[in-house]
Amino acid sequence: MDPIKEGMDGIAVEDVQDRLVSLGYAIAPDERDAERFGPSTAEAVLAFRRAHGLEAGRDVDATMWSSLVDEGYHMGDRTLYLRLPNFKGNDVRTMQNALSILGFSCGEIDGCFGAHTEAAVKQFQDNVGMLADGMCFQDTFQAIWRLYHVWGGKEAQGPVPQAGIGFARAASVLEDNDLALFADGPIARTVAGRIWNLASATSEDSGLALYNGLDEVPGDVTAILELVCDDPEAQPGVTSVHMDRCGDDLPRRLRTSLAASRHRPPYVRIQLPADANEYDGSFTSNRAQMIASVILDAVCAAFDEA
């Protein structure tokens, strides 16, 4: 395309001005009324180019035009997926920020849908019970928007170290929430029993109760947590968290799963690490205790932020 320059007027200039103003750049009213590329339009162009890492200048060339169009997209305006050249723009950046806050790191929040972003999308989709194909159609965007109360108005700060939230605060969480816990399989039941022991030791008034199965869980609990060793079959409304895929983000991913669950009360399956599926005696009691501690810390942190 031929550059759009200072001194020009017409529909092309009006389009540039409208896009810049929608992004928060100031342009003099008289220039907009006349659809004239004047000094304030040139300054807005220069500011946009600097903000987006483009070569300094006051003209709108093909590179800047492409970037300007990309910045006009809002999350959900178009289908996103991994391709070459990568999708770029404001919609990608918004999604990256939301996913990273929810516990699915996209790497640098750069507005570029690359391999790290695709991996984060797949993990999020899996976590909330969707087909994990990395393709962002409206169902994926809607799932992210439904969690706006978790990520809206916040900036991603990177992974949060997984650590206990403090004895008093953990006790408060356990006392304020009625949590139903049950498990599938002998190792998972062992871990569940240790979680119950730790919760009871944290507070005599702990609301975390151990059940033999879902049919025993009353309907008025705050949330239902099930421990499993193998990939569970998909169940409507039930979300899942895979500990091996979480790293330091287990508390945030657990909170995301609780918020995303359509089951009432919220129902989340926690898949234990791969070594918990070893029945040959190599899974030790120390390992069970460590996993139980990690899960209880994550549960308390997730409800402490809610």
Side-chain angles (χ1 to χ4, degrees):
M1 62 174 278
D2 293 330
I4 303 172
K5 302 180 178 182
E6 191 167 357
M8 297 176 66
D9 57 29
I11 295 176
V13 173
E14 180 186 25
D15 195 359
V16 169
Q17 290 173 332
D18 287 346
R19 291 177 185 275
L20 287 170
V21 169
S22 71
L23 295 173
Y25 295 91
I27 295 178
D30 63 310
E31 292 183 23
R32 295 200 66 196
D33 291 342
E35 299 175 3
R36 178 171 52 86
F37 197 129
S40 70
T41 303
E43 285 300 314
V45 168
L46 177 61
F48 178 91
R49 296 180 73 100
R50 285 174 172 167
H52 294 82
L54 304 177
E55 185 179 348
R58 289 176 168 78
D59 296 347
V60 180
D61 56 13
T63 301
M64 177 180 162
W65 175 254
S66 178
S67 181
L68 191 58
V69 170
D70 286 341
E71 286 304 305
Y73 286 112
H74 298 284
M75 187 171 69
D77 284 351
R78 55 180 176 170
T79 300
L80 298 174
Y81 52 91
L82 185 62
R83 69 165 196 187
L84 291 176
N86 297 145
F87 283 107
K88 296 181 180 179
N90 177 63
D91 53 342
V92 179
R93 188 179 301 105
T94 301
M95 185 181 69
Q96 289 175 324
N97 190 69
L99 289 175
S100 293
I101 291 169
L102 293 171
F104 306 90
S105 177
C106 296
E108 183 182 355
I109 311 299
D110 57 3
C112 179
F113 195 112
H116 290 302
T117 301
E118 184 197 39
V121 168
K122 287 181 177 179
Q123 291 173 10
F124 170 78
Q125 291 170 327
D126 180 64
N127 209 71
V128 300
M130 300 175 64
L131 174 64
D133 59 3
M135 301 280 289
C136 297
F137 295 104
Q138 286 304 312
D139 57 348
T140 298
F141 294 129
Q142 288 168 6
I144 297 173
W145 280 118
R146 281 196 295 269
L147 298 170
Y148 181 79
H149 63 287
V150 178
W151 59 265
K154 301 176 183 177
E155 267 191 54
Q157 301 296 326
V160 176
Q162 184 172 313
I165 66 170
F167 185 86
R169 287 169 64 190
S172 177
V173 168
L174 293 171
E175 292 164 6
D176 293 344
N177 295 278
D178 293 321
L179 305 175
L181 175 67
F182 66 98
D184 178 26
I187 287 182
R189 284 194 287 271
T190 296
V191 174
R194 290 174 181 271
I195 292 174
W196 183 86
N197 287 335
L198 289 169
S200 300
T202 301
S203 171
E204 293 181 359
D205 298 320
S206 169
L208 189 148
L210 200 57
Y211 296 92
N212 290 320
L214 182 62
D215 56 339
E216 291 187 4
V217 177
D220 60 351
V221 297
T222 307
I224 301 169
L225 305 172
E226 179 184 3
L227 304 186
V228 298
C229 288
D230 298 310
D231 275 321
E233 290 186 10
Q235 183 174 331
V238 180
T239 53
S240 61
V241 178
H242 299 259
M243 291 186 69
D244 276 336
R245 304 175 189 173
C246 290
D248 291 331
D249 279 323
L250 179 59
R252 286 194 292 182
R253 294 198 185 185
L254 181 57
R255 186 184 180 204
T256 296
S257 286
L258 287 163
S261 175
R262 296 294 190 90
H263 192 279
R264 289 295 173 266
Y267 181 173
V268 178
R269 287 173 170 148
I270 302 174
Q271 185 169 341
L272 302 182
D275 64 325
N277 205 13
E278 297 172 0
Y279 296 93
D280 58 1
S282 60
F283 187 80
T284 65
S285 58
N286 285 342
R287 179 63 172 151
Q289 185 74 7
M290 187 193 80
I291 293 174
S293 178
V294 168
I295 292 174
L296 185 61
D297 277 349
V299 168
C300 290
F303 279 94
D304 184 58
E305 294 179 0

